[in-house]
Amino acid sequence: MERLTERERNVDGTGVAKEEITDGLLKPFADKILTKLAVYEDLEEQGLLVRLPCKVGTEVYYILGIPNKTPCTIDKCVFKLSDIDKIGESLFLTREEAEKKLEEPKNEI
């Protein structure tokens, strides 16, 4: 979809319109904004809008092995959409998160 705002933000964090908004131009540009927002809101309501924990292709860390049953190692891989349900269980955004997960079972015994 066409971006309606600039990537940079104002000092107060509000968005910056790509087009100058004046009284004469306000209606058509406001309609574009509202239409685009409505599409996103519809997708969100339908459960079709997903915020990924990282970009597809980002290097992430996974636990190889079964904690407390087999020796475990932490290795790197590339995040794919099919990995979304593994985040926080066997796939982690940082090595530190993976190491922390490996420590959990030891503390529960």
Side-chain angles (χ1 to χ4, degrees):
M1 286 189 176
E2 171 192 359
R3 274 193 75 90
L4 301 176
T5 59
E6 297 289 346
R7 293 191 186 280
E8 294 82 26
R9 300 274 185 222
N10 287 317
V11 175
D12 64 355
T14 58
V16 179
K18 280 191 168 188
E19 297 178 25
E20 183 68 29
I21 298 178
T22 63
D23 289 340
L25 297 175
L26 182 59
K27 178 81 171 109
F29 191 64
D31 287 346
K32 282 174 133 180
I33 292 169
L34 293 174
T35 300
K36 188 169 187 174
L37 179 59
V39 168
Y40 283 119
E41 289 174 335
D42 290 346
L43 292 171
E44 185 177 26
E45 288 172 355
Q46 296 166 20
L48 298 173
L49 188 63
V50 177
R51 175 173 226 113
L52 298 176
C54 61
K55 284 177 62 173
V56 171
T58 298
E59 191 172 82
V60 293
Y61 298 84
Y62 68 96
I63 296 174
L64 184 60
I66 303 169
N68 290 332
K69 294 189 179 186
T70 63
C72 293
T73 59
I74 297 172
D75 207 351
K76 295 178 187 178
C77 66
V78 174
F79 179 75
K80 301 177 289 203
L81 282 178
S82 60
D83 294 329
I84 191 78
D85 61 334
K86 299 173 191 166
I87 292 287
E89 295 298 321
S90 62
L91 198 68
F92 303 88
L93 301 179
T94 66
R95 183 174 188 84
E96 292 76 22
E97 290 174 350
E99 290 169 349
K100 186 176 178 182
K101 183 67 171 186
L102 277 179
E103 292 297 319
E104 285 180 6
K106 292 178 185 176
N107 295 334
E108 293 175 4
I109 296 176

